[in-house]
Amino acid sequence: MVNGREAFLRAEREFSETAPEPTLDDLRSDLARAIGDFANQNFADRYGPLVGSVVENTAEQILRDLESNGMKAREELTFVARELMNRILRASNS
């Protein structure tokens, strides 16, 4: 019973203290760092000690480009959908 009460109090404290939300840049950097660490652990003996940092920088740039291209694609799809809706509505009103 005591352990349950202590666990409940600890959980209550953890949920009452809100941590700041990570930014997209933080998440992108963390993912790139994890990819770089993976590459370093698995390929450093074959490709040299710098493979991890090269892969990390490359992964971060690729993720940044994917984000940029995704935003552009979303804007273009929104534009196309609006145009189609306008044409459909104009055709049904005529």
Side-chain angles (χ1 to χ4, degrees), residues 66-86:
L66 282 172
E67 178 187 343
S68 174
N69 291 339
M71 294 297 280
K72 289 177 188 176
R74 186 180 81 178
E75 291 171 4
E76 290 173 3
L77 284 173
T78 302
F79 175 75
V80 168
R82 285 184 183 154
E83 283 296 313
L84 286 172
M85 289 302 294
N86 287 340

Side-chain angles (χ1 to χ4, degrees), residues 12-13 15-16 20 26 34 36-37 40 42 44 50 54 62 67-68 70 76-77 82 88 94:
E12 192 174 60
R13 278 193 314 270
F15 284 114
S16 66
D26 294 337
D37 289 345
N40 195 39
N42 294 302
L50 295 177
V54 170
I62 288 171
E67 178 187 343
S68 174
E76 290 173 3
L77 284 173
R82 285 184 183 154
I88 290 170
S94 297

Side-chain angles (χ1 to χ4, degrees), residues 40-74:
N40 195 39
Q41 290 173 359
N42 294 302
F43 302 112
D45 57 335
R46 185 172 186 168
Y47 297 107
L50 295 177
V51 71
S53 62
V54 170
V55 168
E56 180 179 338
N57 292 336
T58 304
E60 190 159 356
Q61 186 61 43
I62 288 171
L63 291 169
R64 202 175 278 128
D65 290 345
L66 282 172
E67 178 187 343
S68 174
N69 291 339
M71 294 297 280
K72 289 177 188 176
R74 186 180 81 178

